[in-house]
Amino acid sequence: MNRAFTIAWLTATIGIFATAFLDLFNLLRHELLGQPLTKYEHIGRWVLYMFDGQFRHESIAKATSIQGELLLGWLGHYGIGILFAAILIGLWRVSWFKSPKLLPAMIVGLATSVVPFFVLQPGMGAGIAGTLTPDPLGLQLKVLITHAVFGFGLYLAGLGLHKFARRATNSL
């Protein structure tokens, strides 16, 4: 395998695993604690409305649904997970594959909370960091917890791929 392909494959695998780990956490939280699941169709709807030039909504939940929004929401969710894994590898380089460390993964996981706080929530009508919702502090805590879980998922994925990544990246 060439260098770029190897790095891209490892990064995508780590991002997909970490995102799936987060989804499993959210499903368990839903089943055990009755917490609502993320509505990925809202993310897809928000993105689809951007093609018509609408970037902000009073309430994305009240906006008319668009065909394909759920699929786009899920694809976007996993694509963002891969992008966040790429940030980890971009900052800590290929050496992180060879020796995964928890702290860099947690830093990236928590730092990426800025995306929902300052992009997704304001665009979907929830205000900056969810300040227009009935429970802003609860929403902020949920975002921080889920991004920490994602960061831990990055670390677990790195550990899981560690031996393969070491062999694959020794020549990098």
Side-chain angles (χ1 to χ4, degrees):
M1 284 191 261
N2 70 34
R3 176 184 172 86
F5 179 81
T6 300
I7 293 170
W9 182 86
L10 289 169
T11 301
T13 302
I14 287 171
I16 290 167
F17 179 89
T19 305
F21 182 76
L22 169 63
D23 289 338
L24 178 61
F25 170 81
N26 284 335
L27 183 61
L28 288 172
R29 201 177 62 159
H30 173 73
E31 293 296 323
L32 298 175
L33 304 174
Q35 297 291 315
L37 293 170
T38 301
K39 296 186 180 277
Y40 292 110
E41 64 270 23
H42 291 172
I43 295 170
R45 184 179 307 164
W46 180 59
V47 170
L48 288 169
Y49 269 101
M50 288 180 192
F51 289 105
D52 290 332
Q54 186 171 357
F55 296 90
R56 190 187 170 291
H57 297 262
E58 290 293 320
S59 169
I60 196 65
K62 293 180 182 174
T64 303
S65 65
I66 301 174
Q67 184 175 358
E69 64 186 26
L70 181 60
L71 176 61
L72 181 61
W74 276 100
L75 290 173
H77 173 57
Y78 276 82
I80 290 167
I82 293 168
L83 176 65
F84 290 168
I87 291 170
L88 172 67
I89 302 311
L91 293 173
W92 276 272
R93 305 295 196 201
V94 174
S95 63
W96 190 86
F97 287 130
K98 295 177 183 179
S99 179
K101 301 281 189 253
L102 178 60
L103 184 60
M106 294 304 291
I107 288 170
V108 168
L110 289 169
T112 57
S113 295
V114 301
V115 174
F117 286 158
F118 297 105
V119 179
L120 292 172
Q121 291 170 357
M124 292 189 203
I128 293 173
T131 54
L132 300 179
T133 64
D135 184 14
L137 187 59
L139 182 57
Q140 293 160 6
L141 186 59
K142 176 186 174 189
V143 167
L144 290 171
I145 289 170
T146 57
H147 279 250
V149 168
F150 176 78
F152 190 66
L154 289 170
Y155 173 66
L156 291 177
L159 288 179
L161 287 174
H162 174 71
K163 288 183 182 179
F164 174 79
R166 257 189 115 146
R167 276 192 308 251
T169 59
N170 273 339
S171 61
L172 301 180

